[in-house]
Amino acid sequence: MLQVPIREHNNSMTSTKAVVLVGGPSRGTRFRPLSLDVPKPLFEVAGHPIIYHCLKAVAKVPSLREVILIGYYDESVFRDFIKDSAKEFPQLKIQYLREYTALGTAGGLYHFRDAILKGNPERFFVLNADVCCSFPLLDMLKLFEEKDAEAVILGTRVSNDAATNFGCIVSDSHTKRVLHYVEKPESHISNLINCGVYLFATECIFPSIRSAIKRRTTRPRFVSYPSSENLSSSFMAPEEEGEKNEVLRLEQDILSDLADSNRFFVHETRDFWRQIKTAGSAVPANALYLQKAFQAQSEELTPPSANILPPVFIHPTATVDPTAKLGPNVSIGPRAVVGAGARVKESIVLEDAEIKHDACVLYSIIGWSSRVGAWARVEGTPTPVGSHSTSIIKNGVKVQSITILGKECAVGDEVRVQNCVCLPYKELKRDVANEVIM
Ligand code: GTP
C-alpha cells in the first residue's frame, strides 16, 4: 500500500530531458528543392516548423524541463526558432548544440553527453527531427517505468513490402521486449519498424555507446569521440586525422546490441507515423498534423464553411478570396494570396506565394514567392492511403507524386504542371508533366 505514493513521488521528481536530432546541411538532400532555401527541420507543415511539432509533444511530459537540439547546422540557424519557442513553451529550457562535423545519430549524443547528463536526469528522449507522428511519449514513459527499462523504442507496423526500408524490430508480443533489431534487413524479418523515437536510461545508453566505440578502436580503424569538455585538448595523430569523420549511428551500431540486454522494450503505436525525407513527404505530414489539430479542435484552424473543407490552416496575414475553395489538408503561409474562384486541395502554399483567380492547386507545394497564373493547374497525384513512398510509377517511369515549385517560380496563365519538381526561379510557360525542371 505504501509503495504507490512513494513511486508517484519519485516519478514527479525524476527528471527527464529530450534531445532532438536535427542533422545538418549535408543531410536532407532528398528534401530538395525546398531545403535549398530553408533547413529541413524549419520547413513549415500545418503552419509550424517540423521541429515545433516535436517540441509540442515534449512539452506535454510533466517532468521534462530541458530540450537539446543537436545538429551540425550553423549556430545562427535555430536562434529565432528557439526564441519563439521559449515564449510558447516557457517551462522548457531549449538550446542548440552544434557538432563540429556530422557525428551520426549516436556520435552526437555521446559528444554532448556532459550537457545531457548535467542535472543528473535518469532518462532522456531522443527524437529524430524528420518524423511526423503523434509522439506518444507518455505511453513510452509508462512502459519504461513498468518494465524498469534501459531503453524503449517507438514502433509501428507497415506493409511487409515496405518494412525492409526501415529498421526492423522483432519483439515478444506479450512482454513487449525487443528480441532483435536489424536496420534495413536484406530479407523480411518483421513489419514492426523503428519510428525514430526513443527513451533511454542515462546510466545505460552512454556505456553502450562507449562499448561500440571500443569495439571499433580494437579494429584497425580508429575513431575519436572527445567529450564536449575536452574537445580542444584532444589529440589525434596525423594518420588518424582522416578517420575523424567516421560516424556512430544508433540504428546500425547501438540498437542491435541493446536487444541483447533484456531491458529493451518497444511501444507499438497505432496512431499515425510518417518519415519526412523527400520534399513531397511534407504534404502527407501536413495532412496528418492538420487532422490532429482538427481532432483537438485547435483554434489555429480556419472554421469550416461552404468553401473551407476542414482541416485548413490559413496564416492570419494571408489573403484568401471568399470564393476560393480550400481543403481538405491545406496550409496557406504568411502573406500568401489566393484569388477568386481558385481551388486548393491537399497542398502547402508557402509565404508570399500567389495563386491567381480560377487556378487549381492539388497535391502540391507552392514555393515561397511563387506565382500560379489564372486558370493554371498545378497538380500531383494522390498516393495510396498508408503508403510510405512519395513516388509513383507513371508510364513505366518513377516520378514524384507531389508537384513542387521551388522558391520564386512562375507558372503562366492556363499552363498545366503535372507531377513535376521545379527548381527555384523557373518560369513555366508551357504544359509540363513528369519532369524535373532544372
Ligand atoms: P536513412 O533514413 O537511412 O535514409 O538516413 P537519413 O540520413 O535520411 O536519416 P537518419 O536515419 O540517418 O537520420 C535520422 C535523424 O537524425 C534525422 O533527423 C537526421 O537529421 C538526424 N541525423 C542524422 N545524422 C546525424 C548526425 O550526424 N548528427 C545529428 N545531430 N543528427 C543527425
mmCIF file of all heavy atoms in Angstrom, residues 376-420:
data_model
loop_
_atom_site.group_PDB
_atom_site.id
_atom_site.type_symbol
_atom_site.label_atom_id
_atom_site.label_comp_id
_atom_site.label_asym_id
_atom_site.label_seq_id
_atom_site.Cartn_x
_atom_site.Cartn_y
_atom_site.Cartn_z
ATOM 1 N N ALA A 376 -4.522 28.356 -64.323
ATOM 2 C CA ALA A 376 -3.444 27.351 -64.411
ATOM 3 C C ALA A 376 -3.814 26.154 -63.535
ATOM 4 O O ALA A 376 -4.695 26.243 -62.664
ATOM 5 C CB ALA A 376 -2.129 27.963 -63.942
ATOM 6 N N ARG A 377 -3.145 25.023 -63.760
ATOM 7 C CA ARG A 377 -3.375 23.814 -62.961
ATOM 8 C C ARG A 377 -2.028 23.280 -62.525
ATOM 9 O O ARG A 377 -1.195 22.925 -63.367
ATOM 10 C CB ARG A 377 -4.025 22.756 -63.855
ATOM 11 C CG ARG A 377 -5.394 22.351 -63.442
ATOM 12 C CD ARG A 377 -5.894 21.247 -64.346
ATOM 13 N NE ARG A 377 -6.158 20.049 -63.538
ATOM 14 C CZ ARG A 377 -7.276 19.856 -62.857
ATOM 15 N NH1 ARG A 377 -8.239 20.750 -62.895
ATOM 16 N NH2 ARG A 377 -7.442 18.756 -62.140
ATOM 17 N N VAL A 378 -1.810 23.237 -61.221
ATOM 18 C CA VAL A 378 -0.568 22.659 -60.699
ATOM 19 C C VAL A 378 -0.996 21.457 -59.877
ATOM 20 O O VAL A 378 -1.715 21.609 -58.888
ATOM 21 C CB VAL A 378 0.184 23.679 -59.817
ATOM 22 C CG1 VAL A 378 1.433 23.047 -59.209
ATOM 23 C CG2 VAL A 378 0.565 24.909 -60.627
ATOM 24 N N GLU A 379 -0.606 20.260 -60.307
ATOM 25 C CA GLU A 379 -1.150 19.103 -59.598
ATOM 26 C C GLU A 379 -0.199 17.926 -59.493
ATOM 27 O O GLU A 379 0.634 17.696 -60.358
ATOM 28 C CB GLU A 379 -2.466 18.633 -60.233
ATOM 29 C CG GLU A 379 -2.333 18.232 -61.667
ATOM 30 C CD GLU A 379 -3.659 17.800 -62.269
ATOM 31 O OE1 GLU A 379 -4.445 17.117 -61.600
ATOM 32 O OE2 GLU A 379 -3.905 18.147 -63.435
ATOM 33 N N GLY A 380 -0.339 17.216 -58.389
ATOM 34 C CA GLY A 380 0.350 15.944 -58.202
ATOM 35 C C GLY A 380 -0.688 14.838 -58.280
ATOM 36 O O GLY A 380 -1.795 15.043 -58.775
ATOM 37 N N THR A 381 -0.319 13.666 -57.752
ATOM 38 C CA THR A 381 -1.226 12.517 -57.798
ATOM 39 C C THR A 381 -1.348 11.958 -56.389
ATOM 40 O O THR A 381 -0.327 11.830 -55.712
ATOM 41 C CB THR A 381 -0.618 11.413 -58.704
ATOM 42 O OG1 THR A 381 -0.301 12.014 -59.959
ATOM 43 C CG2 THR A 381 -1.558 10.253 -58.906
ATOM 44 N N PRO A 382 -2.559 11.649 -55.946
ATOM 45 C CA PRO A 382 -2.655 11.078 -54.591
ATOM 46 C C PRO A 382 -1.936 9.739 -54.506
ATOM 47 O O PRO A 382 -1.957 8.970 -55.468
ATOM 48 C CB PRO A 382 -4.162 10.909 -54.373
ATOM 49 C CG PRO A 382 -4.800 11.067 -55.709
ATOM 50 C CD PRO A 382 -3.854 11.789 -56.597
ATOM 51 N N THR A 383 -1.273 9.487 -53.363
ATOM 52 C CA THR A 383 -0.650 8.174 -53.156
ATOM 53 C C THR A 383 -1.637 7.327 -52.343
ATOM 54 O O THR A 383 -2.478 7.871 -51.625
ATOM 55 C CB THR A 383 0.677 8.302 -52.375
ATOM 56 O OG1 THR A 383 0.481 9.201 -51.304
ATOM 57 C CG2 THR A 383 1.803 8.785 -53.262
ATOM 58 N N PRO A 384 -1.525 6.004 -52.444
ATOM 59 C CA PRO A 384 -2.467 5.158 -51.696
ATOM 60 C C PRO A 384 -2.412 5.452 -50.202
ATOM 61 O O PRO A 384 -1.331 5.770 -49.676
ATOM 62 C CB PRO A 384 -1.973 3.738 -51.975
ATOM 63 C CG PRO A 384 -1.069 3.839 -53.148
ATOM 64 C CD PRO A 384 -0.548 5.230 -53.198
ATOM 65 N N VAL A 385 -3.544 5.369 -49.536
ATOM 66 C CA VAL A 385 -3.601 5.623 -48.091
ATOM 67 C C VAL A 385 -2.617 4.672 -47.400
ATOM 68 O O VAL A 385 -2.562 3.478 -47.729
ATOM 69 C CB VAL A 385 -5.034 5.367 -47.553
ATOM 70 C CG1 VAL A 385 -5.099 5.601 -46.047
ATOM 71 C CG2 VAL A 385 -6.035 6.232 -48.281
ATOM 72 N N GLY A 386 -1.836 5.192 -46.480
ATOM 73 C CA GLY A 386 -0.897 4.333 -45.740
ATOM 74 C C GLY A 386 0.422 4.118 -46.461
ATOM 75 O O GLY A 386 1.305 3.462 -45.936
ATOM 76 N N SER A 387 0.565 4.675 -47.674
ATOM 77 C CA SER A 387 1.820 4.477 -48.400
ATOM 78 C C SER A 387 2.942 5.260 -47.717
ATOM 79 O O SER A 387 2.736 6.376 -47.255
ATOM 80 C CB SER A 387 1.667 4.947 -49.844
ATOM 81 O OG SER A 387 2.922 5.060 -50.449
ATOM 82 N N HIS A 388 4.145 4.662 -47.694
ATOM 83 C CA HIS A 388 5.289 5.359 -47.113
ATOM 84 C C HIS A 388 6.227 5.870 -48.196
ATOM 85 O O HIS A 388 7.364 6.214 -47.934
ATOM 86 C CB HIS A 388 6.030 4.436 -46.144
ATOM 87 C CG HIS A 388 5.292 4.268 -44.861
ATOM 88 N ND1 HIS A 388 5.469 5.114 -43.785
ATOM 89 C CD2 HIS A 388 4.325 3.402 -44.496
ATOM 90 C CE1 HIS A 388 4.651 4.741 -42.803
ATOM 91 N NE2 HIS A 388 3.946 3.709 -43.204
ATOM 92 N N SER A 389 5.724 5.914 -49.421
ATOM 93 C CA SER A 389 6.566 6.395 -50.511
ATOM 94 C C SER A 389 5.906 7.606 -51.148
ATOM 95 O O SER A 389 4.686 7.705 -51.195
ATOM 96 C CB SER A 389 6.728 5.280 -51.544
ATOM 97 O OG SER A 389 7.301 5.802 -52.711
ATOM 98 N N THR A 390 6.719 8.533 -51.649
ATOM 99 C CA THR A 390 6.138 9.695 -52.332
ATOM 100 C C THR A 390 6.438 9.633 -53.823
ATOM 101 O O THR A 390 6.339 10.628 -54.514
ATOM 102 C CB THR A 390 6.671 11.027 -51.758
ATOM 103 O OG1 THR A 390 8.094 10.981 -51.805
ATOM 104 C CG2 THR A 390 6.173 11.276 -50.369
ATOM 105 N N SER A 391 6.838 8.455 -54.283
ATOM 106 C CA SER A 391 6.998 8.342 -55.733
ATOM 107 C C SER A 391 5.975 7.339 -56.269
ATOM 108 O O SER A 391 5.498 6.469 -55.544
ATOM 109 C CB SER A 391 8.427 7.954 -56.097
ATOM 110 O OG SER A 391 8.784 6.788 -55.418
ATOM 111 N N ILE A 392 5.636 7.504 -57.532
ATOM 112 C CA ILE A 392 4.674 6.599 -58.182
ATOM 113 C C ILE A 392 5.237 6.240 -59.555
ATOM 114 O O ILE A 392 6.139 6.907 -60.058
ATOM 115 C CB ILE A 392 3.290 7.277 -58.350
ATOM 116 C CG1 ILE A 392 3.463 8.677 -58.976
ATOM 117 C CG2 ILE A 392 2.529 7.358 -57.053
ATOM 118 C CD1 ILE A 392 2.204 9.220 -59.568
ATOM 119 N N ILE A 393 4.709 5.196 -60.127
ATOM 120 C CA ILE A 393 5.144 4.808 -61.479
ATOM 121 C C ILE A 393 4.105 5.337 -62.464
ATOM 122 O O ILE A 393 2.913 5.054 -62.340
ATOM 123 C CB ILE A 393 5.259 3.270 -61.610
ATOM 124 C CG1 ILE A 393 6.166 2.701 -60.514
ATOM 125 C CG2 ILE A 393 5.722 2.865 -63.016
ATOM 126 C CD1 ILE A 393 7.628 3.039 -60.629
ATOM 127 N N LYS A 394 4.596 6.160 -63.419
ATOM 128 C CA LYS A 394 3.684 6.685 -64.451
ATOM 129 C C LYS A 394 4.281 6.371 -65.809
ATOM 130 O O LYS A 394 5.440 6.724 -66.056
ATOM 131 C CB LYS A 394 3.542 8.207 -64.294
ATOM 132 C CG LYS A 394 2.351 8.611 -63.462
ATOM 133 C CD LYS A 394 2.006 10.060 -63.697
ATOM 134 C CE LYS A 394 0.512 10.271 -63.658
ATOM 135 N NZ LYS A 394 0.173 11.656 -63.945
ATOM 136 N N ASN A 395 3.535 5.719 -66.632
ATOM 137 C CA ASN A 395 4.028 5.278 -67.946
ATOM 138 C C ASN A 395 5.356 4.537 -67.815
ATOM 139 O O ASN A 395 6.302 4.765 -68.566
ATOM 140 C CB ASN A 395 4.215 6.470 -68.903
ATOM 141 C CG ASN A 395 2.949 7.294 -69.015
ATOM 142 O OD1 ASN A 395 1.854 6.751 -68.885
ATOM 143 N ND2 ASN A 395 3.104 8.589 -69.216
ATOM 144 N N GLY A 396 5.466 3.715 -66.784
ATOM 145 C CA GLY A 396 6.674 2.906 -66.596
ATOM 146 C C GLY A 396 7.839 3.670 -65.987
ATOM 147 O O GLY A 396 8.921 3.126 -65.803
ATOM 148 N N VAL A 397 7.637 4.949 -65.672
ATOM 149 C CA VAL A 397 8.740 5.758 -65.134
ATOM 150 C C VAL A 397 8.395 6.191 -63.708
ATOM 151 O O VAL A 397 7.248 6.542 -63.414
ATOM 152 C CB VAL A 397 8.954 7.031 -66.004
ATOM 153 C CG1 VAL A 397 10.124 7.861 -65.488
ATOM 154 C CG2 VAL A 397 9.182 6.644 -67.442
ATOM 155 N N LYS A 398 9.432 6.175 -62.831
ATOM 156 C CA LYS A 398 9.211 6.582 -61.445
ATOM 157 C C LYS A 398 9.201 8.117 -61.368
ATOM 158 O O LYS A 398 10.173 8.757 -61.787
ATOM 159 C CB LYS A 398 10.365 6.030 -60.599
ATOM 160 C CG LYS A 398 10.070 5.972 -59.134
ATOM 161 C CD LYS A 398 11.198 5.211 -58.449
ATOM 162 C CE LYS A 398 11.010 5.204 -56.965
ATOM 163 N NZ LYS A 398 12.117 4.581 -56.261
ATOM 164 N N VAL A 399 8.108 8.688 -60.901
ATOM 165 C CA VAL A 399 8.051 10.154 -60.775
ATOM 166 C C VAL A 399 7.546 10.513 -59.370
ATOM 167 O O VAL A 399 6.966 9.682 -58.670
ATOM 168 C CB VAL A 399 7.103 10.815 -61.820
ATOM 169 C CG1 VAL A 399 7.643 10.653 -63.215
ATOM 170 C CG2 VAL A 399 5.692 10.289 -61.709
ATOM 171 N N GLN A 400 7.777 11.749 -58.971
ATOM 172 C CA GLN A 400 7.282 12.232 -57.685
ATOM 173 C C GLN A 400 5.771 12.392 -57.740
ATOM 174 O O GLN A 400 5.241 12.943 -58.713
ATOM 175 C CB GLN A 400 7.925 13.584 -57.340
ATOM 176 C CG GLN A 400 9.296 13.459 -56.709
ATOM 177 C CD GLN A 400 9.292 12.591 -55.456
ATOM 178 O OE1 GLN A 400 8.513 12.822 -54.542
ATOM 179 N NE2 GLN A 400 10.133 11.571 -55.436
ATOM 180 N N SER A 401 5.081 11.900 -56.706
ATOM 181 C CA SER A 401 3.621 12.022 -56.726
ATOM 182 C C SER A 401 3.185 13.454 -56.413
ATOM 183 O O SER A 401 2.088 13.866 -56.772
ATOM 184 C CB SER A 401 3.001 11.055 -55.724
ATOM 185 O OG SER A 401 3.536 11.304 -54.444
ATOM 186 N N ILE A 402 4.039 14.192 -55.726
ATOM 187 C CA ILE A 402 3.685 15.558 -55.339
ATOM 188 C C ILE A 402 4.394 16.542 -56.275
ATOM 189 O O ILE A 402 5.587 16.391 -56.531
ATOM 190 C CB ILE A 402 4.136 15.822 -53.880
ATOM 191 C CG1 ILE A 402 3.478 14.832 -52.910
ATOM 192 C CG2 ILE A 402 3.876 17.271 -53.455
ATOM 193 C CD1 ILE A 402 1.972 14.881 -52.834
ATOM 194 N N THR A 403 3.664 17.526 -56.779
ATOM 195 C CA THR A 403 4.315 18.560 -57.592
ATOM 196 C C THR A 403 4.876 19.632 -56.663
ATOM 197 O O THR A 403 4.197 20.061 -55.718
ATOM 198 C CB THR A 403 3.322 19.155 -58.613
ATOM 199 O OG1 THR A 403 3.134 18.198 -59.640
ATOM 200 C CG2 THR A 403 3.852 20.443 -59.235
ATOM 201 N N ILE A 404 6.127 20.020 -56.930
ATOM 202 C CA ILE A 404 6.775 21.002 -56.057
ATOM 203 C C ILE A 404 7.330 22.144 -56.894
ATOM 204 O O ILE A 404 8.087 21.914 -57.841
ATOM 205 C CB ILE A 404 7.918 20.341 -55.261
ATOM 206 C CG1 ILE A 404 7.311 19.285 -54.321
ATOM 207 C CG2 ILE A 404 8.698 21.375 -54.449
ATOM 208 C CD1 ILE A 404 8.272 18.216 -53.942
ATOM 209 N N LEU A 405 6.927 23.353 -56.538
ATOM 210 C CA LEU A 405 7.537 24.533 -57.152
ATOM 211 C C LEU A 405 8.489 25.111 -56.123
ATOM 212 O O LEU A 405 8.073 25.412 -54.993
ATOM 213 C CB LEU A 405 6.491 25.596 -57.497
ATOM 214 C CG LEU A 405 5.335 25.219 -58.429
ATOM 215 C CD1 LEU A 405 4.493 26.473 -58.719
ATOM 216 C CD2 LEU A 405 5.849 24.633 -59.739
ATOM 217 N N GLY A 406 9.755 25.259 -56.457
ATOM 218 C CA GLY A 406 10.711 25.875 -55.541
ATOM 219 C C GLY A 406 10.415 27.358 -55.380
ATOM 220 O O GLY A 406 9.380 27.868 -55.843
ATOM 221 N N LYS A 407 11.352 28.041 -54.750
ATOM 222 C CA LYS A 407 11.174 29.470 -54.471
ATOM 223 C C LYS A 407 11.066 30.292 -55.769
ATOM 224 O O LYS A 407 11.770 30.024 -56.746
ATOM 225 C CB LYS A 407 12.403 29.927 -53.686
ATOM 226 C CG LYS A 407 12.361 31.336 -53.196
ATOM 227 C CD LYS A 407 13.625 31.633 -52.420
ATOM 228 C CE LYS A 407 13.584 33.043 -51.892
ATOM 229 N NZ LYS A 407 14.808 33.369 -51.173
ATOM 230 N N GLU A 408 10.191 31.280 -55.759
ATOM 231 C CA GLU A 408 10.053 32.251 -56.855
ATOM 232 C C GLU A 408 9.915 31.632 -58.241
ATOM 233 O O GLU A 408 10.581 32.057 -59.181
ATOM 234 C CB GLU A 408 11.229 33.236 -56.831
ATOM 235 C CG GLU A 408 11.103 34.237 -55.707
ATOM 236 C CD GLU A 408 12.139 35.344 -55.770
ATOM 237 O OE1 GLU A 408 12.349 35.902 -56.863
ATOM 238 O OE2 GLU A 408 12.718 35.639 -54.713
ATOM 239 N N CYS A 409 9.094 30.620 -58.341
ATOM 240 C CA CYS A 409 8.783 30.064 -59.669
ATOM 241 C C CYS A 409 7.529 30.766 -60.197
ATOM 242 O O CYS A 409 6.750 31.321 -59.410
ATOM 243 C CB CYS A 409 8.514 28.560 -59.577
ATOM 244 S SG CYS A 409 10.017 27.623 -59.285
ATOM 245 N N ALA A 410 7.350 30.725 -61.499
ATOM 246 C CA ALA A 410 6.147 31.347 -62.070
ATOM 247 C C ALA A 410 5.517 30.389 -63.070
ATOM 248 O O ALA A 410 6.196 29.896 -63.965
ATOM 249 C CB ALA A 410 6.518 32.660 -62.752
ATOM 250 N N VAL A 411 4.249 30.128 -62.881
ATOM 251 C CA VAL A 411 3.500 29.276 -63.820
ATOM 252 C C VAL A 411 2.572 30.213 -64.592
ATOM 253 O O VAL A 411 1.796 30.971 -63.987
ATOM 254 C CB VAL A 411 2.682 28.211 -63.053
ATOM 255 C CG1 VAL A 411 1.815 27.392 -64.012
ATOM 256 C CG2 VAL A 411 3.599 27.305 -62.244
ATOM 257 N N GLY A 412 2.669 30.169 -65.920
ATOM 258 C CA GLY A 412 1.879 31.092 -66.741
ATOM 259 C C GLY A 412 0.387 30.816 -66.657
ATOM 260 O O GLY A 412 -0.043 29.747 -66.217
ATOM 261 N N ASP A 413 -0.407 31.782 -67.102
ATOM 262 C CA ASP A 413 -1.863 31.618 -67.136
ATOM 263 C C ASP A 413 -2.200 30.372 -67.971
ATOM 264 O O ASP A 413 -1.587 30.126 -69.022
ATOM 265 C CB ASP A 413 -2.529 32.831 -67.794
ATOM 266 C CG ASP A 413 -2.425 34.078 -66.912
ATOM 267 O OD1 ASP A 413 -1.983 33.943 -65.752
ATOM 268 O OD2 ASP A 413 -2.738 35.177 -67.411
ATOM 269 N N GLU A 414 -3.136 29.607 -67.505
ATOM 270 C CA GLU A 414 -3.670 28.433 -68.227
ATOM 271 C C GLU A 414 -2.663 27.305 -68.455
ATOM 272 O O GLU A 414 -2.929 26.369 -69.205
ATOM 273 C CB GLU A 414 -4.280 28.856 -69.583
ATOM 274 C CG GLU A 414 -5.458 29.798 -69.397
ATOM 275 C CD GLU A 414 -6.015 30.305 -70.717
ATOM 276 O OE1 GLU A 414 -5.997 29.553 -71.696
ATOM 277 O OE2 GLU A 414 -6.462 31.460 -70.749
ATOM 278 N N VAL A 415 -1.495 27.385 -67.839
ATOM 279 C CA VAL A 415 -0.476 26.332 -68.009
ATOM 280 C C VAL A 415 -0.763 25.185 -67.041
ATOM 281 O O VAL A 415 -1.196 25.410 -65.910
ATOM 282 C CB VAL A 415 0.938 26.915 -67.779
ATOM 283 C CG1 VAL A 415 1.983 25.807 -67.641
ATOM 284 C CG2 VAL A 415 1.303 27.857 -68.913
ATOM 285 N N ARG A 416 -0.514 23.937 -67.488
ATOM 286 C CA ARG A 416 -0.748 22.771 -66.631
ATOM 287 C C ARG A 416 0.592 22.130 -66.250
ATOM 288 O O ARG A 416 1.397 21.791 -67.119
ATOM 289 C CB ARG A 416 -1.612 21.770 -67.389
ATOM 290 C CG ARG A 416 -1.975 20.602 -66.535
ATOM 291 C CD ARG A 416 -3.005 19.747 -67.227
ATOM 292 N NE ARG A 416 -3.484 18.742 -66.289
ATOM 293 C CZ ARG A 416 -4.189 17.685 -66.634
ATOM 294 N NH1 ARG A 416 -4.534 17.495 -67.878
ATOM 295 N NH2 ARG A 416 -4.580 16.810 -65.729
ATOM 296 N N VAL A 417 0.816 21.988 -64.949
ATOM 297 C CA VAL A 417 2.058 21.386 -64.448
ATOM 298 C C VAL A 417 1.658 20.144 -63.657
ATOM 299 O O VAL A 417 0.923 20.241 -62.678
ATOM 300 C CB VAL A 417 2.821 22.371 -63.522
ATOM 301 C CG1 VAL A 417 4.135 21.755 -63.051
ATOM 302 C CG2 VAL A 417 3.065 23.691 -64.219
ATOM 303 N N GLN A 418 2.161 18.984 -64.092
ATOM 304 C CA GLN A 418 1.679 17.729 -63.501
ATOM 305 C C GLN A 418 2.860 16.883 -63.052
ATOM 306 O O GLN A 418 3.764 16.617 -63.851
ATOM 307 C CB GLN A 418 0.955 16.966 -64.604
ATOM 308 C CG GLN A 418 -0.432 16.551 -64.270
ATOM 309 C CD GLN A 418 -0.971 15.698 -65.415
ATOM 310 O OE1 GLN A 418 -0.594 15.859 -66.570
ATOM 311 N NE2 GLN A 418 -1.856 14.796 -65.073
ATOM 312 N N ASN A 419 2.861 16.456 -61.798
ATOM 313 C CA ASN A 419 3.921 15.585 -61.259
ATOM 314 C C ASN A 419 5.323 16.066 -61.629
ATOM 315 O O ASN A 419 6.135 15.304 -62.163
ATOM 316 C CB ASN A 419 3.732 14.140 -61.753
ATOM 317 C CG ASN A 419 2.500 13.525 -61.139
ATOM 318 O OD1 ASN A 419 1.470 13.412 -61.802
ATOM 319 N ND2 ASN A 419 2.562 13.194 -59.866
ATOM 320 N N CYS A 420 5.584 17.318 -61.323
ATOM 321 C CA CYS A 420 6.904 17.887 -61.631
ATOM 322 C C CYS A 420 7.570 18.402 -60.370
ATOM 323 O O CYS A 420 6.891 18.796 -59.414
ATOM 324 C CB CYS A 420 6.760 19.069 -62.597
ATOM 325 S SG CYS A 420 6.365 18.539 -64.261
#
